[in-house]
Amino acid sequence: MKSNKEKIYDFIQMHDTAEKEGGVSTTYIAQALSLQRTNVSSLLNALVEEGRIHKSNGRPVLYSIAGVSRGDEEECFCKMTGWQGSLQHPIQLAKAAVLYPGRSLNILIVGEKGTGKKEFAHLIYEYCLVKQIFSAESPFLQMNCRDYQGSAKDAREKLMGERQSGMLKDAESGILYMDNVQYLDGGLLREIASYSGKPGRKGLLIASCTPNAQPAQEEFQSEFPIVITMPRITERPIEERMEMIQTLFSTEASRVGRELVVKEELMRCLLLYECPENFQQLKRDIKIGCANAYVRELANDRRITLYVSDFEPTIRQGMSRFGQMREEIERLIPENSTFTFDGSRMRVSETETKNIYKELRQKAKQLESEGIEDEDIKMLLSTEVERAFGKYQQKLIHEVRSRKELELIVDEELIDMVERFLAKVENARNKKTDDAVFFGLCLHMKNVVNGTKTTESMDRLEISEVVTKYKQEYMLSLAFAEEIQEVYGRQLTIDEVILITMFLCYEPPKQTDKGQTVILYAFYGKDIAASIVRTITEITGFNHIFSFEVSHRQSETQIYESLKKCILEIEQKQGVFIVYDSDLVSKVAEEISAETGIMIRLFPAPVTTLGIELARKAMISSNLDAVYRDAMKSVGDFATSHEKYLITLCTTGKGGAEELKTYIERYGHMEDVQIIPLSMSNPKALQEAFRDLMRRGTILCVVGTFDPKLYSIPFCSITEVFTTPKERLPELLRKTESKDYEVDHQEVFHYLAGQFSHAEIKKVESSVEAFLQEVDQKLKHMTQDAQMGLLVHTACCIERLASGETSPENPKRKAILHQYHKEFQQLLRMLRPMEKAFHIIFSDDEVANMLMIIYQI
C-alpha cells in the first residue's frame, strides 16, 4: 500500500496538468485525503526539498508538480470542473467583482442545492489572496443562515454583536460568506445592506440562496450588484459530468489506497441518472458505492471492482435515458470498456470476454483459501462446471428459437455438420439430444470457425476430470474436431474440444416439486363451499382448491377434528389459505396450526353471515331503501374495518423500539398508521402478536435491526430509517424499498439528544462509538444494520439505567450465554468503561440482548 507521502504526490499530480494550471493548497489536500493538516504540511515540505513539487510564493501557498508553469488567472478557479466551460461566465463575473476599482463588490451566488455555491465562494477567497486584495492573514468566515431561521434576534447578535463586534466586523479584513441567506429576516437583510453601504467599509460579503428564494429587499439587492448563477448538473455539458465522475473516483481511489475498477454499465448509469441535489448528490452516491465495495472487499488486498448493485437503486434508472443520448454516451464510454482509477490517473481498457475456465480456477482458489479439502473442491467444481456451462449455453440460444432463425446467423453447411454430428452422438449414447444443445452448439461453432471465440488453456487436472467422466463424448468430439479442420481449415485446441464435450453432456437441472399452496373454502351451509370450488375449478382448470362444510349441528370439538383431518389430507408443504365466514373457523384453524405446525392464513368472507343479517332486516322492514342502506353499511364496515400498522422491533421491546416509534411518529407523517413497538426476545409471543394484528388489520412493514422474516411482511432496516433524509422517510416506510445508505451516527445521536434527560449525549456518543469500534475489531465485524441496532440499543440502555430503571428479562439469556460464553466474557470487559463512566451496571440480560443484535440471533 502506498505511503501518505506518495498519495499526496499522486493527488497533486492528478490536479496538475498543462491544460489545468493551478496547484492545490495544504488544506485542500488534507480534506480530500482525510489526513491531519500538520502531517500534510510536513510531507509537502519533504517533497519540495526532494525537488518533486513546486511551492508558490503567493497566498495561499499552492503546490504543483515541479517544472509545470502557472498562470495566475486560472490558478484558483481551475479546481472546479467546468472552469473553461459552463462556469466560464460565473468566473468572469467573480473576477470583475473582486477587481472592481476602489473596493470589491459584494456577490450573491444563486443556485440549487449541491451546485457548488460554497466551494465557489472558497475559490473567490483564494483568488482574492492571490491577487493580494487581502493579506495572507485575512479570514474567511462562514455563517449558515438556515440555523437562524425564525430567530432574528440570535442572527442579529451573531452578525452585529454588541457595539458592532459580530461577524460583520470580524470580516472587515476578509470575506464573510452567508449561506442560505433567504432564511434571514427582511429587516435584518436591510440592516446588513445598510452596514455594507457605509463609506470606507472594507471586506467582501458573499451571500448565497436558492433560485426560488432570492431576497426581494431592494436595499439588499443594491448592495449585492453582482449576481452569479451556478448551473444545475443537467445544464452542464455531459463531458463536464464525466470529468466530475473521474475526479470523484480518483479521489476515492487515493483514500482507500487501492485501484478502483468501474465497468461500462456503471459509468453510463452515473452519467445519466437524475441528480436532484446536483454535484453533491453525485459525490455522495459515489462515496456510498465505493464504501460498500470497500467493505465487500475488505479481506482482500487487491483492486476493487465496483458494481451497480453497490450503489443506490436510483442509479440504475439512468439506463432509461440511454436511448436518447446513445451517440454522446458511446463517444465518452465505448462499448465493453473498463475504467481503472489508481488515484493519480485513469486508464480505459476493453473488457475481457468472460471465460468459464478462468471463473472455475478463481472459484477453486477461493475454496482452497477457505480450507476446503481437494476432494470436496473437485465435487463442488463439477457442479460449478455444469452451472457455468449452462449459463453460457443459455446465453447462446437466447435469440434463436427456430431453424429458420438459425440459418440467418449460421452457415447452412455448418448447421448440417452439427446435425450429422449430433445424430452420431444419439446413436452411440442411445439417447436423444435436447434441441437446446443443437442451437447452442451451432452458434458456438460459428464463433469457433470464424476465429472470434477463444478459450484460455485449461489445467491438466480440469482436462483429466472431463475426459475421465465423459470419455465416450470426448472421443466423438475429437472426431468432429477433425471434420471441422478438413472443411474449414481450423484446428481446434484441446480446450475447444472439451467445450464441445460439455455441450453433449450438459443437462439442465431437474425441477423439483416444492409443493403448492392450497386454498380451502370453509363456509356454513350445505354445498355452499363445494359449489364455489366447483365453479372456480371448472373456469380455471386448477386442482389446488378445496371445500369444507361447517355444520351448525356440530360442536366446536367436532368441527376442530374434522377440519384438522381435512387440512392434513389436502396440505402440500406450502401451507393452507382458508377463506371462511365464521369466527369459529378462524379460532379452531389457529389451534390446528399451532398443533400441527402447518402454516395457515385466514381471510374472512362472511357471505352466509351477511345473508342471514340481510334476511332478518328485510323481514322487519318493508322499506327497500332502508334495507339497501343497512346492507351497504354492513359491507362498508366489513371493507373498511382493517387498521394499518407499522411494527418497530428490538431485542427487549423497549428502548430502541420505543425510540424508533417516537422518531417515525415525528418525521414519518403516518397519521393513519398505528406504530407498535414489539420485542424479538420471545419468538412465539412475537408470532402471536403479529397474527393478532393481522386479524385486526394490515401490517405495512417491520422496522428493526434485522428481518424477523414473518409472514412475508416487508422489512425496513433501522439503518435506512436513520440515514434517509427526513423528508423522504414517509416514502421509504410506505414503499419499503431496500437501499444502502452510508451510516451517519451523528444524525442518530443528534436525534437522541432531544429524547435523553439523564445521560449526557456527548458522553454517550463518545462511549458508544468507542464500544462499537472495539466490538467490530475484536468480536465480530458487524453489518451496517447490526451496527446501527447496537448503537441505538446501547445508547437507550445507558439512558434507561441512568434513570434508575431495571433491565427486562431476556428469556433466551441462558441459552445465549451458554452458546456464546467466550464472547459474553469479552463483551463484559468492553462494557466496563461505560459502566464506570455512567455509574451503571449492565445485567446479564442486557449483555444477552447485545449478543442477539451482534450475531443477529
Side-chain angles (χ1 to χ4, degrees):
M1 188 176 291
K2 290 183 178 179
S3 65
N4 286 338
K5 181 178 175 182
E6 292 304 317
K7 287 181 184 179
I8 290 170
Y9 180 80
D10 290 344
F11 187 80
I12 296 172
Q13 190 176 52
M14 179 182 69
H15 287 74
D16 193 89
T17 63
E19 295 80 22
K20 240 186 181 182
E21 299 180 348
V24 287
S25 66
T26 306
T27 303
Y28 185 70
I29 297 170
Q31 290 176 348
L33 300 182
S34 299
L35 298 173
Q36 289 290 331
R37 192 183 186 284
T38 52
N39 294 342
V40 172
S41 179
S42 176
L43 294 171
L44 286 169
N45 289 332
L47 288 168
V48 171
E49 290 178 6
E50 294 171 10
R52 298 172 66 187
I53 63 174
H54 170 76
K55 180 178 180 180
S56 71
N57 294 322
R59 293 290 180 181
V61 175
L62 300 175
Y63 296 89
S64 56
I65 299 299
V68 179
S69 61
R70 309 255 148 232
D72 64 351
E73 288 299 310
E74 285 79 31
E75 61 186 351
C76 298
F77 294 106
C78 69
K79 296 170 189 172
M80 270 190 108
T81 300
W83 67 286
Q84 289 182 317
S86 62
L87 296 185
Q88 196 167 16
H89 181 60
I91 290 171
Q92 287 174 350
L93 285 175
K95 289 178 179 179
V98 168
L99 301 176
Y100 194 78
R103 75 175 192 189
S104 298
L105 300 176
N106 295 335
I107 299 170
L108 177 64
I109 305 175
V110 180
E112 291 184 358
K113 184 177 181 180
T115 50
K117 301 187 291 293
K118 183 177 178 180
E119 184 183 358
F120 195 73
H122 269 289
L123 297 181
I124 293 174
Y125 169 67
E126 289 189 17
Y127 185 73
C128 288
L129 298 182
V130 169
K131 287 296 184 180
Q132 298 182 353
I133 303 297
F134 302 124
S135 67
E137 293 75 26
S138 298
F140 180 88
L141 303 179
Q142 302 177 61
M143 175 181 176
N144 191 340
C145 302
R146 187 199 298 269
D147 297 337
Y148 299 90
Q149 184 180 6
S151 303
K153 181 180 178 182
D154 294 339
R156 183 176 287 102
E157 184 176 340
K158 182 77 172 176
L159 285 166
M160 307 295 186
E162 293 183 7
R163 298 177 183 177
Q164 297 186 344
S165 60
M167 293 185 76
L168 285 169
K169 181 66 175 177
D170 295 339
E172 279 288 338
S173 59
I175 290 179
L176 171 60
Y177 172 59
M178 295 180 293
D179 194 13
N180 293 307
V181 73
Q182 70 268 17
Y183 289 106
L184 291 184
D185 176 74
L188 181 56
L189 288 175
R190 285 188 285 272
E191 287 186 52
I192 294 170
S194 175
Y195 182 93
S196 179
K198 287 182 179 179
R201 181 196 62 82
K202 298 179 181 179
L204 173 62
L205 296 185
I206 303 177
S208 69
C209 65
T210 54
N212 57 351
Q214 192 167 333
Q217 285 72 19
E218 291 183 11
E219 298 94 332
F220 186 82
Q221 288 185 333
S222 66
E223 289 302 324
F224 285 79
I226 302 296
V227 179
I228 295 175
T229 301
M230 299 296 288
R232 299 193 302 270
I233 196 169
T234 52
E235 296 171 340
R236 290 174 172 241
I238 196 73
E239 291 83 3
E240 289 186 8
R241 183 158 172 173
M242 182 69 173
E243 187 178 339
M244 293 177 192
I245 294 169
Q246 293 172 5
T247 302
L248 291 170
F249 274 129
S250 294
T251 301
E252 294 303 317
S254 294
R255 283 178 175 161
V256 301
R258 287 157 71 176
E259 288 188 342
L260 298 180
V261 179
V262 185
K263 299 295 179 65
E264 156 211 336
E265 178 192 11
L266 175 55
M267 289 292 285
R268 289 180 174 179
C269 286
L270 290 170
L271 262 185
L272 294 169
Y273 85 105
E274 292 291 336
C275 276
E277 296 180 17
N278 299 288
F279 174 75
Q280 289 304 320
Q281 180 169 349
L282 181 67
K283 180 180 179 180
R284 182 175 64 248
D285 288 341
I286 287 179
K287 187 182 288 292
I288 289 172
C290 291
N292 288 332
Y294 180 76
V295 171
R296 172 168 43 78
E297 297 289 340
L298 195 59
N300 303 312
D301 188 15
R302 62 189 182 199
R303 59 170 50 182
I304 299 172
T305 300
L306 290 99
Y307 302 100
V308 177
S309 57
D310 292 321
F311 290 74
E312 298 266 8
T314 52
I315 302 293
R316 299 183 181 89
Q317 297 171 8
M319 289 309 294
S320 62
R321 299 177 57 210
F322 179 65
Q324 308 165 21
M325 306 179 66
R326 178 184 292 273
E327 289 187 12
E328 289 180 81
I329 300 303
E330 288 185 342
R331 175 170 51 82
L332 293 172
I333 307 173
E335 194 173 354
N336 296 324
S337 55
T338 297
F339 297 77
T340 303
F341 302 88
D342 62 6
S344 60
R345 67 187 192 280
M346 178 189 76
R347 302 192 305 275
V348 184
S349 58
E350 189 174 343
T351 306
E352 294 180 7
T353 306
K354 280 193 173 181
N355 183 282
I356 61 174
Y357 305 131
K358 184 176 181 180
E359 291 180 359
L360 291 173
R361 272 196 291 277
Q362 291 174 346
K363 186 79 173 180
K365 288 180 181 177
Q366 180 184 347
L367 293 171
E368 185 179 355
S369 67
E370 293 173 0
I372 299 175
E373 300 293 332
D374 288 347
E375 289 301 318
D376 293 330
I377 291 176
K378 289 179 183 178
M379 180 188 70
L380 291 169
L381 283 186
S382 64
T383 304
E384 191 70 19
V385 167
E386 294 180 2
R387 186 194 67 80
F389 180 75
K391 286 169 64 178
Y392 170 64
Q393 187 193 38
Q394 289 301 315
K395 183 179 178 181
L396 281 173
I397 66 173
H398 179 70
E399 296 179 356
V400 180
R401 292 288 179 267
S402 68
R403 171 78 184 239
K404 286 185 178 180
E405 290 181 17
L406 191 65
E407 288 175 353
L408 296 174
I409 304 171
V410 183
D411 179 54
E412 191 172 351
E413 184 179 6
L414 181 57
I415 295 174
D416 292 337
M417 287 179 66
V418 173
E419 276 187 322
R420 292 194 300 271
F421 168 55
L422 292 180
K424 292 178 185 177
V425 172
E426 290 177 358
N427 185 52
R429 300 169 69 196
N430 195 25
K431 179 181 178 182
K432 183 169 176 56
T433 305
D434 192 273
D435 287 342
V437 174
F438 166 66
F439 287 121
L441 188 56
C442 284
L443 291 168
H444 175 72
M445 294 311 300
K446 170 219 170 189
N447 290 330
V448 170
V449 298
N450 289 341
T452 57
K453 183 65 187 176
T454 60
T455 60
E456 285 190 4
S457 298
M458 296 178 67
D459 293 339
R460 284 186 295 175
L461 178 62
E462 294 168 339
I463 295 172
S464 175
E465 286 283 319
V466 175
V467 173
T468 302
K469 191 173 181 180
Y470 307 112
K471 185 174 181 180
Q472 184 185 41
E473 290 82 358
Y474 174 68
M475 297 303 294
L476 290 166
S477 299
L478 274 176
F480 180 56
E482 292 175 0
E483 188 178 352
I484 290 291
Q485 183 177 0
E486 289 177 10
V487 175
Y488 291 97
R490 173 78 163 80
Q491 184 174 2
L492 273 62
T493 65
I494 188 170
D495 308 300
E496 290 167 332
V497 175
I498 291 292
L499 200 53
I500 295 171
T501 305
M502 291 169 69
F503 267 99
L504 303 181
C505 304
Y506 172 73
E507 292 184 7
K510 295 180 180 179
Q511 298 294 323
T512 57
D513 184 11
K514 294 183 178 179
Q516 174 73 54
T517 296
V518 298
I519 312 296
L520 177 65
Y521 286 84
F523 286 173
Y524 267 111
K526 187 175 177 57
D527 292 336
I528 294 177
S531 298
I532 293 173
V533 170
R534 185 163 53 251
T535 302
I536 295 172
T537 303
E538 286 175 359
I539 293 173
T540 63
F542 298 152
N543 59 2
H544 61 291
I545 308 167
F546 302 90
S547 65
F548 178 79
E549 184 177 301
V550 183
S551 173
H552 64 276
R553 295 188 178 89
Q554 288 180 310
S555 66
E556 182 176 329
T557 303
Q558 289 173 318
I559 293 174
Y560 177 88
E561 292 299 333
S562 55
L563 181 59
K564 183 175 77 170
K565 181 181 178 183
C566 173
I567 289 172
L568 289 171
E569 288 175 354
I570 67 174
E571 196 266 334
Q572 299 179 21
K573 302 177 183 178
Q574 293 298 314
V576 181
F577 189 99
I578 300 179
V579 182
Y580 68 95
D581 71 346
S582 167
D583 288 338
L584 178 60
V585 172
S586 171
K587 179 182 176 182
V588 298
E590 289 181 355
E591 294 173 358
I592 292 168
S593 177
E595 179 187 343
T596 62
I598 294 172
M599 291 188 297
I600 295 176
R601 301 291 179 266
L602 296 154
F603 182 79
V607 177
T608 307
T609 304
L610 182 61
I612 293 170
E613 185 68 19
L614 284 175
R616 287 174 178 165
K617 288 178 179 177
M619 178 62 70
I620 63 175
S621 176
S622 58
N623 188 320
L624 176 63
D625 288 336
V627 174
Y628 174 76
R629 186 178 62 251
D630 288 344
M632 293 303 293
K633 183 178 184 302
S634 298
V635 173
D637 291 342
F638 168 67
T640 60
S641 61
H642 280 209
E643 299 285 348
K644 295 178 183 178
Y645 302 105
L646 184 148
I647 293 175
T648 60
L649 285 179
C650 79
T651 53
T652 63
K654 296 184 178 180
E658 292 285 357
E659 290 300 342
L660 266 176
K661 175 185 176 181
T662 305
Y663 187 85
I664 292 169
E665 284 176 339
R666 180 174 297 179
Y667 301 113
H669 302 297
M670 305 188 79
E671 290 77 11
D672 59 330
V673 179
Q674 292 187 43
I675 302 173
I676 312 293
L678 293 176
S679 166
M680 293 186 291
S681 59
N682 189 328
K684 287 188 177 180
L686 183 64
Q687 288 186 21
E688 179 58 38
F690 269 66
R691 280 199 297 267
D692 181 58
L693 290 171
M694 289 168 67
R695 279 194 295 268
R696 291 186 275 139
T698 302
I699 301 176
L700 298 182
C701 86
V702 177
V703 179
T705 307
F706 58 92
D707 191 352
K709 300 189 186 304
L710 288 174
Y711 308 112
S712 300
I713 296 170
F715 174 73
C716 182
S717 76
I718 186 174
T719 306
E720 293 176 277
V721 169
F722 277 111
T723 53
T724 296
K726 295 180 179 66
E727 64 272 12
R728 291 171 56 192
L729 188 59
E731 178 186 358
L732 171 76
L733 294 172
R734 292 183 187 274
K735 291 187 176 181
T736 62
E737 295 174 346
S738 178
K739 299 178 181 176
D740 291 325
Y741 288 94
E742 187 175 27
V743 179
D744 186 350
H745 291 180
Q746 287 188 340
E747 280 289 322
V748 181
F749 285 115
H750 177 71
Y751 166 73
L752 293 176
Q755 314 300 313
F756 286 9
S757 57
H758 295 86
E760 184 187 342
I761 195 65
K762 286 292 182 184
K763 194 174 177 182
V764 172
E765 180 178 357
S766 60
S767 299
V768 174
E769 287 285 16
F771 171 62
L772 291 178
Q773 187 174 0
E774 190 173 9
V775 170
D776 201 64
Q777 291 176 353
K778 297 181 180 179
L779 199 62
K780 184 181 186 297
H781 179 63
M782 295 179 287
T783 63
Q784 283 190 356
D785 291 339
Q787 191 179 69
M788 183 63 80
L790 186 60
L791 181 152
V792 175
H793 176 84
T794 307
C796 293
C797 183
I798 291 172
E799 169 69 9
R800 189 171 64 249
L801 295 176
S803 69
E805 289 187 40
T806 57
S807 299
E809 184 180 347
N810 185 328
K812 300 169 73 174
R813 182 193 65 207
K814 288 185 178 179
I816 292 170
L817 301 190
H818 176 74
Q819 182 179 355
Y820 295 93
H821 177 72
K822 181 180 176 183
E823 292 82 357
F824 170 71
Q825 297 298 331
Q826 287 180 277
L827 202 55
L828 277 178
R829 287 194 293 272
M830 295 176 190
L831 290 168
R832 279 173 192 156
M834 286 191 289
E835 290 179 327
K836 291 180 180 179
F838 296 96
H839 306 291
I840 59 175
I841 296 177
F842 292 99
S843 67
D844 288 357
D845 292 282
E846 281 298 352
V847 180
N849 292 334
M850 293 176 188
L851 287 169
M852 289 178 69
I853 295 173
I854 295 167
Y855 292 96
Q856 299 194 342
I857 303 170

